[in-house]
Amino acid sequence: MITIKNQKMIMGTLSAAAVLANSLFAAPVALAAEQPSVDAKAAFVIEDETDKVLVNQNGEEALGIASMTKMLSIYLILEAIEEGKLTWNKQITVSDYVYEVSQNYNFSNVPLRQDITYSVEELYQSALIYSANGSTIALAEALAGSEAKFVDLMKAQLDEWGVENYELYNATGLSNSDVAEENLYPGAPADGYNKMTARGVAMVADHLIDDYPEVLETTSIPELAFQAGTSDEIMMHSYNVMLPGMFYYREGVDGLKTGTTLESGASFTGTAMQDEMRIITVVIGADESTKRFTETDRLMDYAFSTFEKTTIAAKGDAVSTQEPITVAKGKQTEVGLVYNEDLVTVTEKGAEELALTTVFTPAEESLNEDGEIEAPIEKGTEVGSVAVTVEGDELGYLDGTTSEDVKVAVASSVEKANIFVRGGRVVGDLFGKAWQTVSDFVGGFFD
């Protein structure tokens, strides 16, 4: 039995060829104090590096997300820039549809003109900082040709990520009732609006921050002039009032996106860094605009005061107490394992003991046709992963799993044995099996 008492110790005891679980028994320690009750339809909090869920309040119900939709739209735009499909300096001409939307002052907008062009960067900034709907549609059209085709890209991306239980009709988060019939997504209900679960919103935000961390350079801007130095100049003030100089300022907050419609209520996806730990918070459907920020502040207080990242094992550390895995056709018949990446988890502050369950799964590409790891094999060769679960954890991870996967490699090289050694082992195995058969037969007379 093994008790993990501090972050420098290493857990183990894994099986070799098959997927086999082994518990490390200790007095179970709850992963978290009781989570706060949030005054909104749903709330969700994760730690960004590990994707560990820290709070889940009604996180699986599809709810209106309004302009938080734009996080997904911006992801696709950043991806297109990375792939060379768009450039920051590309000039975009405003379509009739974009012009009409941008002139509607009932929506979040910067008014756009049709006699000039706008750069992708300008539209991108106004979409993120000022939640400009016209700018978002202009970007969607520039990439996909139409907003409807862009929505198809959005849906494909969510499906690829494994996001479930959603409805998407546009790139902005506007309710369908605010969109002219000819501009509605094909087959969209007139009273429909974009919906996603709080878990799904957290997944979008997590991918956005992880894949394009530069987005935080823009989402952290409290105010910025659009079309600076021209007669069209407009000062854009971020709707995220937790940024510096804003009414609900909180140190460490540098994003991410608000959303508000009558159908959806007031929502906010926030992110903050403190003590080298970044969290992502989601609040959906608060009944007051300011409440989404006060509730986010409570969630951040809870997360940062309750949890910390803990490195249990570093890359190269031996998987202690792990049974060596079997190696076919090798000079040695088995080899130990080491972690091939740091094992970082999130624990409750002050927790001195962790009860862990470990599962080893060999990588399919490391197995021969007989399902065996075969020599020769070099030291450091990755052969599979270890799934680590903290017992008593009911919240799990962002993707819905209950464990964290860590890659493992062989601790030393194993050369291939010559044909005589391998042949001797075969003969030995056959003799052993024959002897066992005889023993079982003779023993049967005395049963």
Side-chain angles (χ1 to χ4, degrees), residues 174-231:
L174 289 173
S175 299
N176 288 351
S177 58
D178 291 323
V179 179
E181 184 177 354
E182 63 269 20
N183 295 317
L184 284 177
Y185 184 79
D191 59 350
Y193 48 93
N194 291 355
K195 295 180 181 179
M196 203 175 295
T197 66
R199 182 187 293 272
V201 173
M203 292 178 74
V204 172
D206 182 60
H207 280 286
L208 179 59
I209 292 174
D210 289 352
D211 295 347
Y212 303 105
E214 63 269 24
V215 73
L216 298 175
E217 297 174 9
T218 302
T219 61
S220 61
I221 297 174
E223 62 179 39
L224 182 70
F226 180 78
Q227 288 280 284
T230 73
S231 59

Side-chain angles (χ1 to χ4, degrees), residues 38-308:
V38 176
D39 190 6
K41 294 178 182 178
F44 210 82
V45 182
I46 66 166
E47 192 280 319
D48 177 56
E49 180 183 354
T50 62
D51 287 349
K52 182 72 193 71
V53 178
L54 309 181
V55 172
N56 182 356
Q57 178 180 310
N58 191 32
E60 320 306 329
E61 181 184 358
L63 299 166
I65 59 173
S67 283
M68 293 195 301
T69 301
K70 294 183 176 77
M71 291 188 294
L72 178 55
S73 298
I74 290 300
Y75 182 95
L76 294 179
I77 296 303
L78 289 170
E79 182 181 60
I81 291 171
E82 181 182 47
E83 295 175 351
K85 297 176 182 177
L86 291 175
T87 64
W88 289 115
N89 293 325
K90 178 181 174 60
Q91 296 298 304
I92 295 176
T93 301
V94 171
S95 68
D96 291 343
Y97 174 38
V98 169
Y99 175 75
E100 291 171 7
V101 170
S102 76
Q103 297 298 315
N104 190 331
Y105 290 91
N106 292 319
F107 307 152
S108 299
N109 269 315
V110 291
L112 302 174
R113 293 163 45 179
Q114 292 186 291
D115 58 341
I116 63 174
T117 60
Y118 299 90
S119 70
V120 167
E121 185 174 22
E122 287 177 302
L123 298 173
Y124 165 86
Q125 290 172 337
S126 61
L128 274 178
I129 298 171
Y130 214 44
S131 199
N133 291 288
S135 297
T136 306
I137 299 170
L139 290 169
E141 291 180 345
L143 176 59
S146 71
E147 185 180 22
K149 291 179 180 178
F150 187 82
V151 171
D152 290 337
L153 297 179
M154 297 169 73
K155 290 181 175 182
Q157 186 63 81
L158 291 181
D159 293 342
E160 181 181 322
W161 287 338
V163 177
E164 300 177 341
N165 196 15
Y166 68 83
E167 295 178 29
L168 281 181
Y169 303 112
N170 55 59
T172 60
L174 289 173
S175 299
N176 288 351
S177 58
D178 291 323
V179 179
E181 184 177 354
E182 63 269 20
N183 295 317
L184 284 177
Y185 184 79
D191 59 350
Y193 48 93
N194 291 355
K195 295 180 181 179
M196 203 175 295
T197 66
R199 182 187 293 272
V201 173
M203 292 178 74
V204 172
D206 182 60
H207 280 286
L208 179 59
I209 292 174
D210 289 352
D211 295 347
Y212 303 105
E214 63 269 24
V215 73
L216 298 175
E217 297 174 9
T218 302
T219 61
S220 61
I221 297 174
E223 62 179 39
L224 182 70
F226 180 78
Q227 288 280 284
T230 73
S231 59
D232 293 332
E233 180 176 327
I234 295 175
M235 185 58 67
M236 301 183 295
H237 298 276
S238 175
Y239 289 102
N240 176 7
V241 294
M242 300 186 77
L243 295 176
M246 300 293 207
F247 191 76
Y248 289 100
Y249 166 66
R250 181 187 177 106
E251 185 177 1
V253 173
D254 50 6
L256 196 58
K257 191 69 194 71
T258 57
T260 309
T261 62
L262 290 175
E263 294 88 348
S264 303
S267 303
F268 178 51
T269 299
T271 184
M273 175 78 81
Q274 182 177 312
D275 298 329
E276 299 184 353
M277 183 172 80
R278 176 174 292 281
I279 63 171
I280 296 172
T281 63
V282 178
V283 173
I284 298 180
D287 58 11
E288 297 176 10
S289 179
T290 58
K291 192 175 290 183
R292 55 184 161 181
F293 302 113
T294 57
E295 293 301 89
T296 294
D297 194 51
R298 291 179 59 230
L299 287 171
M300 289 183 174
D301 278 344
Y302 168 75
F304 286 124
S305 65
T306 305
F307 300 100
E308 63 183 352

